[in-house]
């Protein structure tokens, strides 16, 4: 044996989820599309109020962000991950930092997934 390093790292729970991206309206300030800001792709947004943009696909009765790829609850990705809006960056999966996020739990339940527990990060 050459090393005692683990042979694999745990898969982050969000990679197998995506429920919040297909549950909530994703709203943010128009300034976040500016090149000197988060640079959210403007072509993937719609104006919902003078001071508010939504990511396309989320301002509907059955939201699903257009940037979400894959199958919810199995394997998903965000095609604009590095340019995602602040609300996505700020949305924490339950217990990632030791704190429960009821909106994460609610989104998961809505897609038939159990709420996360601390052991899901081991
Ligand atoms: S609902 Fe929670 S676990 Fe699922 S992708 Fe969103 S933050 Fe991650
Ligand atoms: S921008 Fe990315 S993280 Fe935000 S809702 Fe869409 S897929 Fe999810």
């Amino acid at each position: 044996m050459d090393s005692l390093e683990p042979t694999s790292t745990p898969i982050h729970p969000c990679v197998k989820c995506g429920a919040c991206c297909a549950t909530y309206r994703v709203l943010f300030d128009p300034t976040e599309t500016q090149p000197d800001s988060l640079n959210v792709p403007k072509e993937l947004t719609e104006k919902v109020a003078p001071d508010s943009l939504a990511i396309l696909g989320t301002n509907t009765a059955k939201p699903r962000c257009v940037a979400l790829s894959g199958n919810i609850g199995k394997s998903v990705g965000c095609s604009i991950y590095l340019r995602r809006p602040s609300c996505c960056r700020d949305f924490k999966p339950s217990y990632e930092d030791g704190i429960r996020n009821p909106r994460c739990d609610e989104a998961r339940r809505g897609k038939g997934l159990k709420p996360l527990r601390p052991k899901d990060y081991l």
Side-chain angles (χ1 to χ4, degrees):
M1 185 186 298
D2 295 328
S3 166
L4 293 176
E5 290 293 314
T7 54
S8 64
T9 50
I11 296 172
H12 192 280
C14 290
V15 176
K16 295 188 290 183
C17 180
C20 55
C21 310
T23 299
Y24 299 119
R25 192 160 63 149
V26 177
L27 297 176
F28 52 95
D29 192 283
T31 58
E32 293 190 19
T33 62
Q34 299 302 311
D36 61 349
S37 179
L38 295 173
N39 202 11
V40 178
K42 199 169 184 176
E43 63 274 18
L44 298 187
T45 71
E46 65 175 300
K47 196 170 188 174
V48 294
D51 59 351
S52 188
L53 297 179
I55 289 278
L56 288 177
T58 68
N59 187 33
T60 70
K62 291 186 176 179
R64 177 171 171 131
C65 176
V66 295
L68 182 69
S69 61
N71 296 315
I72 292 165
K74 297 195 180 326
S75 176
V76 295
C78 172
S79 66
I80 57 168
Y81 187 74
L82 296 177
R83 297 170 66 187
R84 68 198 190 286
S86 57
C87 54
C88 302
R89 294 167 187 268
D90 294 342
F91 196 96
K92 299 294 181 190
S94 276
Y95 298 109
E96 182 181 55
D97 299 328
I99 299 167
R100 180 178 167 238
N101 177 356
R103 283 169 61 79
C104 169
D105 296 355
E106 181 185 339
R108 286 179 60 88
R109 279 200 193 92
K111 302 300 178 187
L113 302 169
K114 289 180 182 172
L116 293 175
R117 292 291 174 256
K119 67 179 175 57
D120 292 314
Y121 295 90
L122 300 176

mmCIF file of all heavy atoms in Angstrom, residues 12-24 68 72-73 76 88 91-94 96 101 103-109 111 113-116 121, ligand 1:
data_model
loop_
_atom_site.group_PDB
_atom_site.id
_atom_site.type_symbol
_atom_site.label_atom_id
_atom_site.label_comp_id
_atom_site.label_asym_id
_atom_site.label_seq_id
_atom_site.Cartn_x
_atom_site.Cartn_y
_atom_site.Cartn_z
ATOM 1 N N HIS A 12 -21.417 15.258 -3.421
ATOM 2 C CA HIS A 12 -22.242 16.254 -2.734
ATOM 3 C C HIS A 12 -23.718 15.967 -3.012
ATOM 4 O O HIS A 12 -24.091 15.680 -4.151
ATOM 5 C CB HIS A 12 -21.873 17.663 -3.220
ATOM 6 C CG HIS A 12 -22.463 18.729 -2.362
ATOM 7 N ND1 HIS A 12 -23.773 19.128 -2.475
ATOM 8 C CD2 HIS A 12 -21.939 19.460 -1.351
ATOM 9 C CE1 HIS A 12 -24.020 20.071 -1.585
ATOM 10 N NE2 HIS A 12 -22.916 20.287 -0.883
ATOM 11 N N PRO A 13 -24.570 16.068 -1.981
ATOM 12 C CA PRO A 13 -25.985 15.730 -2.150
ATOM 13 C C PRO A 13 -26.690 16.509 -3.256
ATOM 14 O O PRO A 13 -27.597 15.982 -3.911
ATOM 15 C CB PRO A 13 -26.608 16.051 -0.783
ATOM 16 C CG PRO A 13 -25.481 16.024 0.181
ATOM 17 C CD PRO A 13 -24.248 16.399 -0.578
ATOM 18 N N CYS A 14 -26.302 17.765 -3.484
ATOM 19 C CA CYS A 14 -26.976 18.574 -4.505
ATOM 20 C C CYS A 14 -26.811 17.978 -5.908
ATOM 21 O O CYS A 14 -27.682 18.146 -6.761
ATOM 22 C CB CYS A 14 -26.442 20.006 -4.493
ATOM 23 S SG CYS A 14 -26.903 20.953 -3.038
ATOM 24 N N VAL A 15 -25.695 17.302 -6.136
ATOM 25 C CA VAL A 15 -25.423 16.723 -7.454
ATOM 26 C C VAL A 15 -26.436 15.627 -7.793
ATOM 27 O O VAL A 15 -26.688 15.332 -8.952
ATOM 28 C CB VAL A 15 -23.976 16.183 -7.510
ATOM 29 C CG1 VAL A 15 -23.688 15.483 -8.816
ATOM 30 C CG2 VAL A 15 -22.991 17.314 -7.281
ATOM 31 N N LYS A 16 -27.036 15.074 -6.738
ATOM 32 C CA LYS A 16 -28.037 14.022 -6.952
ATOM 33 C C LYS A 16 -29.446 14.539 -6.674
ATOM 34 O O LYS A 16 -30.358 13.751 -6.460
ATOM 35 C CB LYS A 16 -27.748 12.831 -6.032
ATOM 36 C CG LYS A 16 -26.440 12.125 -6.335
ATOM 37 C CD LYS A 16 -26.285 10.843 -5.535
ATOM 38 C CE LYS A 16 -26.056 11.121 -4.077
ATOM 39 N NZ LYS A 16 -25.825 9.883 -3.285
ATOM 40 N N CYS A 17 -29.613 15.859 -6.650
ATOM 41 C CA CYS A 17 -30.915 16.413 -6.256
ATOM 42 C C CYS A 17 -31.459 17.377 -7.324
ATOM 43 O O CYS A 17 -32.106 16.955 -8.259
ATOM 44 C CB CYS A 17 -30.801 17.075 -4.895
ATOM 45 S SG CYS A 17 -32.335 17.788 -4.315
ATOM 46 N N GLY A 18 -31.232 18.665 -7.147
ATOM 47 C CA GLY A 18 -31.754 19.662 -8.087
ATOM 48 C C GLY A 18 -33.179 20.102 -7.790
ATOM 49 O O GLY A 18 -33.779 20.863 -8.552
ATOM 50 N N ALA A 19 -33.732 19.655 -6.673
ATOM 51 C CA ALA A 19 -35.139 19.945 -6.375
ATOM 52 C C ALA A 19 -35.433 21.444 -6.258
ATOM 53 O O ALA A 19 -36.454 21.925 -6.775
ATOM 54 C CB ALA A 19 -35.536 19.246 -5.084
ATOM 55 N N CYS A 20 -34.551 22.190 -5.609
ATOM 56 C CA CYS A 20 -34.823 23.623 -5.428
ATOM 57 C C CYS A 20 -34.845 24.357 -6.766
ATOM 58 O O CYS A 20 -35.580 25.338 -6.929
ATOM 59 C CB CYS A 20 -33.818 24.249 -4.469
ATOM 60 S SG CYS A 20 -32.096 24.016 -4.922
ATOM 61 N N CYS A 21 -34.059 23.891 -7.727
ATOM 62 C CA CYS A 21 -33.997 24.536 -9.044
ATOM 63 C C CYS A 21 -35.259 24.285 -9.862
ATOM 64 O O CYS A 21 -35.440 24.874 -10.931
ATOM 65 C CB CYS A 21 -32.782 24.019 -9.810
ATOM 66 S SG CYS A 21 -31.243 24.070 -8.870
ATOM 67 N N ALA A 22 -36.101 23.395 -9.382
ATOM 68 C CA ALA A 22 -37.359 23.083 -10.069
ATOM 69 C C ALA A 22 -38.539 23.250 -9.124
ATOM 70 O O ALA A 22 -39.551 22.554 -9.256
ATOM 71 C CB ALA A 22 -37.310 21.660 -10.626
ATOM 72 N N THR A 23 -38.367 24.170 -8.162
ATOM 73 C CA THR A 23 -39.436 24.412 -7.186
ATOM 74 C C THR A 23 -39.712 25.902 -7.001
ATOM 75 O O THR A 23 -40.865 26.331 -6.984
ATOM 76 C CB THR A 23 -39.064 23.811 -5.816
ATOM 77 O OG1 THR A 23 -38.896 22.400 -5.963
ATOM 78 C CG2 THR A 23 -40.138 24.102 -4.774
ATOM 79 N N TYR A 24 -38.643 26.673 -6.901
ATOM 80 C CA TYR A 24 -38.786 28.074 -6.519
ATOM 81 C C TYR A 24 -38.547 29.031 -7.689
ATOM 82 O O TYR A 24 -37.837 28.699 -8.646
ATOM 83 C CB TYR A 24 -37.800 28.416 -5.402
ATOM 84 C CG TYR A 24 -38.023 27.593 -4.161
ATOM 85 C CD1 TYR A 24 -37.023 26.755 -3.674
ATOM 86 C CD2 TYR A 24 -39.234 27.646 -3.489
ATOM 87 C CE1 TYR A 24 -37.231 25.990 -2.534
ATOM 88 C CE2 TYR A 24 -39.456 26.885 -2.353
ATOM 89 C CZ TYR A 24 -38.445 26.059 -1.879
ATOM 90 O OH TYR A 24 -38.658 25.306 -0.761
ATOM 91 N N LEU A 68 -30.811 24.174 -15.527
ATOM 92 C CA LEU A 68 -30.699 22.871 -14.850
ATOM 93 C C LEU A 68 -30.699 21.753 -15.886
ATOM 94 O O LEU A 68 -31.606 21.651 -16.713
ATOM 95 C CB LEU A 68 -31.873 22.685 -13.880
ATOM 96 C CG LEU A 68 -31.863 21.383 -13.075
ATOM 97 C CD1 LEU A 68 -30.730 21.377 -12.053
ATOM 98 C CD2 LEU A 68 -33.213 21.166 -12.378
ATOM 99 N N ILE A 72 -33.860 15.179 -11.979
ATOM 100 C CA ILE A 72 -33.991 15.531 -10.564
ATOM 101 C C ILE A 72 -34.047 14.256 -9.710
ATOM 102 O O ILE A 72 -34.757 13.299 -10.031
ATOM 103 C CB ILE A 72 -35.242 16.395 -10.350
ATOM 104 C CG1 ILE A 72 -35.034 17.752 -11.027
ATOM 105 C CG2 ILE A 72 -35.553 16.574 -8.871
ATOM 106 C CD1 ILE A 72 -36.285 18.559 -11.206
ATOM 107 N N GLY A 73 -33.262 14.283 -8.648
ATOM 108 C CA GLY A 73 -33.212 13.136 -7.741
ATOM 109 C C GLY A 73 -32.238 12.060 -8.180
ATOM 110 O O GLY A 73 -32.037 11.082 -7.461
ATOM 111 N N VAL A 76 -27.815 15.805 -11.620
ATOM 112 C CA VAL A 76 -28.139 17.117 -12.182
ATOM 113 C C VAL A 76 -26.895 17.997 -12.269
ATOM 114 O O VAL A 76 -25.864 17.717 -11.652
ATOM 115 C CB VAL A 76 -29.210 17.851 -11.337
ATOM 116 C CG1 VAL A 76 -30.537 17.126 -11.369
ATOM 117 C CG2 VAL A 76 -28.720 18.060 -9.913
ATOM 118 N N CYS A 88 -29.000 31.712 -5.674
ATOM 119 C CA CYS A 88 -28.561 30.312 -5.792
ATOM 120 C C CYS A 88 -27.311 30.077 -4.956
ATOM 121 O O CYS A 88 -27.169 29.042 -4.315
ATOM 122 C CB CYS A 88 -28.279 29.969 -7.246
ATOM 123 S SG CYS A 88 -29.702 30.210 -8.335
ATOM 124 N N PHE A 91 -28.294 29.828 -1.273
ATOM 125 C CA PHE A 91 -29.219 28.764 -0.870
ATOM 126 C C PHE A 91 -28.406 27.545 -0.433
ATOM 127 O O PHE A 91 -27.770 26.878 -1.234
ATOM 128 C CB PHE A 91 -30.122 28.391 -2.044
ATOM 129 C CG PHE A 91 -31.341 27.597 -1.647
ATOM 130 C CD1 PHE A 91 -32.552 28.224 -1.441
ATOM 131 C CD2 PHE A 91 -31.265 26.225 -1.496
ATOM 132 C CE1 PHE A 91 -33.688 27.496 -1.082
ATOM 133 C CE2 PHE A 91 -32.387 25.482 -1.137
ATOM 134 C CZ PHE A 91 -33.592 26.117 -0.933
ATOM 135 N N LYS A 92 -28.450 27.253 0.853
ATOM 136 C CA LYS A 92 -27.619 26.178 1.400
ATOM 137 C C LYS A 92 -28.412 24.887 1.575
ATOM 138 O O LYS A 92 -29.527 24.910 2.117
ATOM 139 C CB LYS A 92 -27.048 26.587 2.772
ATOM 140 C CG LYS A 92 -26.164 27.813 2.729
ATOM 141 C CD LYS A 92 -24.905 27.555 1.944
ATOM 142 C CE LYS A 92 -24.008 28.768 1.925
ATOM 143 N NZ LYS A 92 -22.906 28.639 0.982
ATOM 144 N N PRO A 93 -27.857 23.785 1.158
ATOM 145 C CA PRO A 93 -28.517 22.517 1.452
ATOM 146 C C PRO A 93 -28.507 22.253 2.957
ATOM 147 O O PRO A 93 -27.559 22.633 3.653
ATOM 148 C CB PRO A 93 -27.669 21.484 0.698
ATOM 149 C CG PRO A 93 -26.360 22.141 0.477
ATOM 150 C CD PRO A 93 -26.599 23.615 0.415
ATOM 151 N N SER A 94 -29.550 21.633 3.419
ATOM 152 C CA SER A 94 -29.657 21.357 4.854
ATOM 153 C C SER A 94 -28.423 20.640 5.379
ATOM 154 O O SER A 94 -27.971 19.651 4.780
ATOM 155 C CB SER A 94 -30.890 20.499 5.132
ATOM 156 O OG SER A 94 -32.035 21.293 5.236
ATOM 157 N N GLU A 96 -25.348 21.326 5.397
ATOM 158 C CA GLU A 96 -24.012 21.467 4.808
ATOM 159 C C GLU A 96 -23.089 22.180 5.787
ATOM 160 O O GLU A 96 -21.917 21.825 5.928
ATOM 161 C CB GLU A 96 -24.072 22.255 3.504
ATOM 162 C CG GLU A 96 -22.704 22.375 2.843
ATOM 163 C CD GLU A 96 -22.746 23.176 1.567
ATOM 164 O OE1 GLU A 96 -23.229 24.340 1.615
ATOM 165 O OE2 GLU A 96 -22.343 22.652 0.526
ATOM 166 N N ASN A 101 -32.020 23.792 6.523
ATOM 167 C CA ASN A 101 -32.678 24.768 5.666
ATOM 168 C C ASN A 101 -34.053 24.216 5.313
ATOM 169 O O ASN A 101 -34.174 23.328 4.471
ATOM 170 C CB ASN A 101 -31.857 25.015 4.392
ATOM 171 C CG ASN A 101 -32.551 25.988 3.445
ATOM 172 O OD1 ASN A 101 -33.682 26.426 3.696
ATOM 173 N ND2 ASN A 101 -31.889 26.321 2.348
ATOM 174 N N ARG A 103 -36.379 25.247 3.526
ATOM 175 C CA ARG A 103 -36.776 25.367 2.114
ATOM 176 C C ARG A 103 -36.095 24.293 1.259
ATOM 177 O O ARG A 103 -36.646 23.858 0.248
ATOM 178 C CB ARG A 103 -36.477 26.786 1.610
ATOM 179 C CG ARG A 103 -37.528 27.771 2.129
ATOM 180 C CD ARG A 103 -37.164 29.211 1.911
ATOM 181 N NE ARG A 103 -37.001 29.594 0.522
ATOM 182 C CZ ARG A 103 -37.978 29.848 -0.324
ATOM 183 N NH1 ARG A 103 -39.223 29.741 0.061
ATOM 184 N NH2 ARG A 103 -37.730 30.210 -1.559
ATOM 185 N N CYS A 104 -34.928 23.890 1.645
ATOM 186 C CA CYS A 104 -34.287 22.740 0.991
ATOM 187 C C CYS A 104 -35.122 21.487 1.258
ATOM 188 O O CYS A 104 -35.451 20.730 0.328
ATOM 189 C CB CYS A 104 -32.862 22.575 1.508
ATOM 190 S SG CYS A 104 -32.054 21.035 1.036
ATOM 191 N N ASP A 105 -35.480 21.293 2.510
ATOM 192 C CA ASP A 105 -36.283 20.117 2.879
ATOM 193 C C ASP A 105 -37.603 20.094 2.119
ATOM 194 O O ASP A 105 -38.032 19.051 1.608
ATOM 195 C CB ASP A 105 -36.582 20.125 4.382
ATOM 196 C CG ASP A 105 -35.332 20.003 5.237
ATOM 197 O OD1 ASP A 105 -34.232 19.808 4.671
ATOM 198 O OD2 ASP A 105 -35.457 20.110 6.469
ATOM 199 N N GLU A 106 -38.244 21.269 2.044
ATOM 200 C CA GLU A 106 -39.542 21.374 1.381
ATOM 201 C C GLU A 106 -39.424 21.033 -0.105
ATOM 202 O O GLU A 106 -40.255 20.315 -0.664
ATOM 203 C CB GLU A 106 -40.063 22.808 1.566
ATOM 204 C CG GLU A 106 -41.404 23.087 0.958
ATOM 205 C CD GLU A 106 -41.776 24.565 1.095
ATOM 206 O OE1 GLU A 106 -41.220 25.264 1.959
ATOM 207 O OE2 GLU A 106 -42.608 25.013 0.293
ATOM 208 N N ALA A 107 -38.386 21.562 -0.742
ATOM 209 C CA ALA A 107 -38.187 21.285 -2.169
ATOM 210 C C ALA A 107 -37.950 19.796 -2.400
ATOM 211 O O ALA A 107 -38.498 19.196 -3.330
ATOM 212 C CB ALA A 107 -37.004 22.105 -2.698
ATOM 213 N N ARG A 108 -37.133 19.205 -1.566
ATOM 214 C CA ARG A 108 -36.846 17.771 -1.718
ATOM 215 C C ARG A 108 -38.113 16.945 -1.511
ATOM 216 O O ARG A 108 -38.399 16.025 -2.279
ATOM 217 C CB ARG A 108 -35.737 17.356 -0.747
ATOM 218 C CG ARG A 108 -34.353 17.852 -1.182
ATOM 219 C CD ARG A 108 -33.282 17.443 -0.188
ATOM 220 N NE ARG A 108 -33.169 16.006 -0.027
ATOM 221 C CZ ARG A 108 -32.386 15.211 -0.780
ATOM 222 N NH1 ARG A 108 -31.645 15.733 -1.740
ATOM 223 N NH2 ARG A 108 -32.358 13.922 -0.552
ATOM 224 N N ARG A 109 -38.863 17.274 -0.489
ATOM 225 C CA ARG A 109 -40.108 16.515 -0.240
ATOM 226 C C ARG A 109 -41.036 16.610 -1.444
ATOM 227 O O ARG A 109 -41.691 15.636 -1.817
ATOM 228 C CB ARG A 109 -40.821 17.058 1.004
ATOM 229 C CG ARG A 109 -40.266 16.545 2.298
ATOM 230 C CD ARG A 109 -41.273 16.694 3.442
ATOM 231 N NE ARG A 109 -40.617 16.478 4.718
ATOM 232 C CZ ARG A 109 -40.079 17.443 5.468
ATOM 233 N NH1 ARG A 109 -40.122 18.694 5.060
ATOM 234 N NH2 ARG A 109 -39.501 17.163 6.605
ATOM 235 N N LYS A 111 -40.329 16.688 -4.405
ATOM 236 C CA LYS A 111 -39.860 15.825 -5.503
ATOM 237 C C LYS A 111 -39.716 14.370 -5.043
ATOM 238 O O LYS A 111 -39.056 13.555 -5.705
ATOM 239 C CB LYS A 111 -38.514 16.335 -6.043
ATOM 240 C CG LYS A 111 -38.547 17.761 -6.547
ATOM 241 C CD LYS A 111 -39.529 17.937 -7.689
ATOM 242 C CE LYS A 111 -39.576 19.387 -8.145
ATOM 243 N NZ LYS A 111 -40.655 19.630 -9.147
ATOM 244 N N LEU A 113 -38.146 13.258 -2.360
ATOM 245 C CA LEU A 113 -36.842 12.957 -1.763
ATOM 246 C C LEU A 113 -36.882 13.260 -0.267
ATOM 247 O O LEU A 113 -37.504 14.231 0.165
ATOM 248 C CB LEU A 113 -35.743 13.808 -2.419
ATOM 249 C CG LEU A 113 -35.604 13.658 -3.933
ATOM 250 C CD1 LEU A 113 -34.690 14.751 -4.481
ATOM 251 C CD2 LEU A 113 -35.071 12.283 -4.285
ATOM 252 N N LYS A 114 -36.189 12.471 0.506
ATOM 253 C CA LYS A 114 -36.128 12.710 1.949
ATOM 254 C C LYS A 114 -35.269 13.937 2.238
ATOM 255 O O LYS A 114 -34.283 14.181 1.522
ATOM 256 C CB LYS A 114 -35.517 11.500 2.658
ATOM 257 C CG LYS A 114 -36.405 10.281 2.676
ATOM 258 C CD LYS A 114 -35.702 9.157 3.405
ATOM 259 C CE LYS A 114 -36.566 7.904 3.384
ATOM 260 N NZ LYS A 114 -35.848 6.731 3.915
ATOM 261 N N PRO A 115 -35.613 14.693 3.281
ATOM 262 C CA PRO A 115 -34.737 15.802 3.689
ATOM 263 C C PRO A 115 -33.340 15.294 4.023
ATOM 264 O O PRO A 115 -33.186 14.166 4.484
ATOM 265 C CB PRO A 115 -35.428 16.353 4.942
ATOM 266 C CG PRO A 115 -36.843 15.917 4.825
ATOM 267 C CD PRO A 115 -36.814 14.586 4.126
ATOM 268 N N LEU A 116 -32.356 16.151 3.768
ATOM 269 C CA LEU A 116 -30.975 15.777 4.063
ATOM 270 C C LEU A 116 -30.745 15.699 5.565
ATOM 271 O O LEU A 116 -31.390 16.408 6.339
ATOM 272 C CB LEU A 116 -30.003 16.801 3.469
ATOM 273 C CG LEU A 116 -29.940 16.870 1.948
ATOM 274 C CD1 LEU A 116 -29.024 18.009 1.517
ATOM 275 C CD2 LEU A 116 -29.484 15.548 1.354
ATOM 276 N N TYR A 121 -23.424 13.840 4.339
ATOM 277 C CA TYR A 121 -22.169 14.466 3.911
ATOM 278 C C TYR A 121 -20.948 13.616 4.241
ATOM 279 O O TYR A 121 -19.825 14.023 3.980
ATOM 280 C CB TYR A 121 -22.019 15.841 4.580
ATOM 281 C CG TYR A 121 -23.086 16.803 4.129
ATOM 282 C CD1 TYR A 121 -24.286 16.900 4.823
ATOM 283 C CD2 TYR A 121 -22.911 17.580 2.984
ATOM 284 C CE1 TYR A 121 -25.283 17.758 4.410
ATOM 285 C CE2 TYR A 121 -23.904 18.445 2.560
ATOM 286 C CZ TYR A 121 -25.093 18.523 3.273
ATOM 287 O OH TYR A 121 -26.072 19.376 2.848
HETATM 288 S S1 LIG B 1 -33.016 21.136 -2.643
HETATM 289 FE FE1 LIG B 1 -31.315 21.163 -1.196
HETATM 290 S S2 LIG B 1 -30.143 19.300 -1.645
HETATM 291 FE FE2 LIG B 1 -31.478 19.692 -3.376
HETATM 292 S S3 LIG B 1 -30.191 20.841 -4.837
HETATM 293 FE FE3 LIG B 1 -31.345 22.318 -3.588
HETATM 294 S S4 LIG B 1 -29.978 22.826 -1.898
HETATM 295 FE FE4 LIG B 1 -29.179 20.938 -2.840
#
